[in-house]
């Protein structure tokens, strides 16, 4: 009985043609009719949206400048002749804002974060804030940073909520203190909206709260993650406030942040001869930030408009008030924009974000 030779080929399967080449089976999850350029096409379609979001603050600022050309020209002329010593001091206060933000971020989380990378992430988050309103850009960068450090999504989101709550609460407390000790608060009465505007605002806020309550009560898939997030947030709040170092970082940084931001504004005003006491400048910054923060405009444009109006209400000239706000925005946002974007890109390339 002869054995099978290794070079002898096996017979074809039953029903198969000897010369027929059977194609390889399709890869699991692949769609046969889908084009290969579907994902790049989606990326290209999203690029104009991102570009429009980034350019929106610039276009709005340019439109306002064109509509107020004489005031802007006089303000820029004054800003060019400003005292460089006071501007350097304002730049120092701007750097302290990132330190204060890093302290609040660390204080809102029980886990220990690397201080250098945390400070770099907050510096990069400032560049992201120009594309999204209401601080969403900074929150998105911080959320990505925390996830990269191994923090679960619920706890990272809860820390961002605690950060926002601590900042708003501390800013309100500082504002109340300055309203109590400064006699200039009487001039802010003209800036308070009348009852005809407060009624629809209260109706909108109440309606939004009612809709959110109904959705959380009726929609079970929505209620489960929200209750889990609240449970995680309460657990982290208890853990944070049981450690004195976290309490100091959280509330000390939250109280210091509006003061150092107002310090930048006061230094710019001193370099231009604004002519207002520093406590009035701080009060103007706190009041304008509270009023303008309710309008989610990117780039802080609503805050800038309210700030100019507040400084003029306190007795400053329109031109020097405009120059002060322009100089404040240049020092706090536009000068750090390019370095912040470069740091953001470097953190992304290093897989820190």
């Amino acid at each position: 009985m002869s054995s099978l030779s290794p070079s002898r080929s096996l017979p074809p399967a039953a029903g198969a043609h000897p010369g027929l080449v059977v194609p390889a089976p399709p890869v699991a999850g692949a769609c046969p009719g889908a084009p290969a350029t579907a994902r790049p096409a989606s990326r290209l379609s999203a690029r104009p949206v991102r570009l429009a979001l980034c350019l929106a603050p610039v276009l709005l600022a340019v439109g306002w400048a064109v509509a107020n050309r004489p005031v802007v020209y006089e303000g820029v002329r004054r800003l060019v002749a400003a005292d460089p010593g006071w501007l350097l001091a304002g730049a120092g206060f701007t750097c302290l804002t990132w330190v204060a933000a890093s302290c609040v971020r660390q204080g809102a989380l029980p886990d220990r974060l690397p201080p250098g990378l945390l400070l770099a992430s907050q510096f990069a988050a400032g560049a992201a804030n120009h594309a999204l309103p209401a601080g969403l850009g900074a929150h998105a960068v911080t959320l990505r940073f925390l996830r990269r450090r191994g923090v679960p999504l619920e706890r990272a989101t809860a820390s961002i909520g605690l950060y926002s709550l601590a900042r708003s609460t501390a800013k309100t407390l500082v504002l109340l203190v300055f309203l109590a000790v400064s006699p200039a608060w009487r001039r802010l009465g003209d800036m308070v909206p009348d009852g005809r505007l407060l009624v629809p605002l209260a109706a909108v806020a109440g309606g939004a709260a009612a809709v959110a309550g109904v959705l959380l009560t009726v929609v079970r898939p929505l209620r489960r993650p929200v209750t889990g997030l609240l449970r995680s947030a309460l657990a982290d709040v208890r853990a944070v406030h049981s450690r004195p170092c976290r309490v100091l970082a959280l509330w000390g940084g939250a109280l210091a942040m509006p003061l150092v931001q107002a310090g930048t504004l006061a230094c710019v005003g001193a370099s231009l001869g604004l002519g207002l006491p520093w406590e009035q400048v701080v009060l103007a910054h706190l009041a304008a930030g509270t009023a303008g923060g309710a309008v989610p405009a990117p780039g802080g444009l609503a805050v800038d408009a309210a700030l100019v109006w507040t400084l003029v209400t306190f007795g400053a000239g329109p031109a020097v008030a405009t120059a002060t706000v322009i100089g404040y925005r240049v020092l706090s946002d536009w000068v750090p924009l390019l370095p912040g974007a470069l740091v953001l890109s470097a953190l992304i390339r290093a897989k820190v974000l």
Side-chain angles (χ1 to χ4, degrees):
M1 185 176 183
S2 61
S3 60
L4 183 62
S5 173
S7 61
R8 185 177 178 182
S9 60
L10 294 176
H17 193 276
L20 181 63
V21 178
V22 180
V27 180
C31 182
T37 59
R39 183 172 297 178
S42 62
R43 291 179 180 176
L44 290 176
S45 62
R47 186 175 300 174
V49 177
R50 293 196 299 266
L51 183 61
L53 289 174
C54 294
L55 292 180
V58 180
L59 295 178
L60 290 175
V62 169
W64 180 86
V66 170
N68 300 271
R69 289 189 300 272
V71 176
V72 173
Y73 173 77
E74 180 65 20
V76 172
R77 189 187 66 81
R78 289 174 176 264
L79 188 60
V80 170
D83 186 357
W86 281 110
L87 292 180
L88 186 60
F93 276 106
T94 299
C95 296
L96 290 178
T97 58
W98 303 315
V99 178
S102 301
C103 290
V104 183
R105 296 286 188 188
Q106 177 61 88
L109 194 68
D111 308 72
R112 187 181 184 277
L113 301 173
L117 292 179
L118 178 60
L119 182 60
S121 69
Q122 295 310 295
F123 180 59
N129 256 352
H130 287 267
L132 296 175
L136 295 179
H139 292 332
V141 171
T142 303
L143 181 63
R144 185 62 177 170
F145 172 73
L146 295 179
R147 295 290 291 133
R148 280 291 187 178
R149 303 309 302 178
V151 180
L153 180 59
E154 288 185 353
R155 296 186 58 221
T157 308
S159 72
I160 292 176
L162 180 57
Y163 169 90
S164 302
L165 180 62
R167 279 198 59 183
S168 59
T169 303
K171 188 173 184 178
T172 303
L173 292 176
V174 175
L175 175 60
L176 292 177
V177 170
F178 273 85
L179 286 175
V181 301
S182 177
W185 64 270
R186 297 181 181 87
R187 300 183 182 180
L188 296 176
D190 298 335
M191 300 181 60
V192 178
D194 55 6
R196 292 176 297 178
L197 183 59
L198 291 178
V199 170
L201 289 178
V204 170
V211 170
V214 170
L215 289 177
L216 291 177
T217 304
V218 176
V219 183
R220 185 180 296 271
L222 182 62
R223 184 169 67 248
R224 289 178 178 177
V226 171
T227 54
L229 177 62
L230 292 177
R231 194 179 299 111
S232 176
L234 291 177
D236 279 358
V237 167
R238 287 193 296 267
V240 163
H241 287 83
S242 64
R243 304 169 62 178
C245 59
R246 292 292 187 267
V247 175
L248 180 61
L250 177 64
W251 293 105
L255 290 171
M257 187 171 294
L259 294 178
V260 296
Q261 289 174 341
T264 303
L265 180 67
C267 289
V268 175
S271 70
L272 295 170
L274 184 63
L276 295 178
W278 68 270
E279 63 271 13
Q280 292 189 11
V281 177
V282 174
L283 180 58
H285 181 273
L286 294 171
T290 303
V295 182
L301 296 178
V303 177
D304 292 346
L307 189 52
V308 172
W309 189 16
T310 309
L311 292 175
V312 172
T313 302
F314 281 163
V320 68
T322 302
T324 300
V325 174
I326 291 175
Y328 167 73
R329 190 57 63 187
V330 167
L331 279 183
S332 60
D333 286 345
W334 296 107
V335 168
L337 180 59
L338 180 57
L342 294 177
V343 172
L344 179 63
S345 177
L347 293 177
I348 292 175
R349 291 178 180 273
K351 300 187 183 302
V352 176
L353 299 178

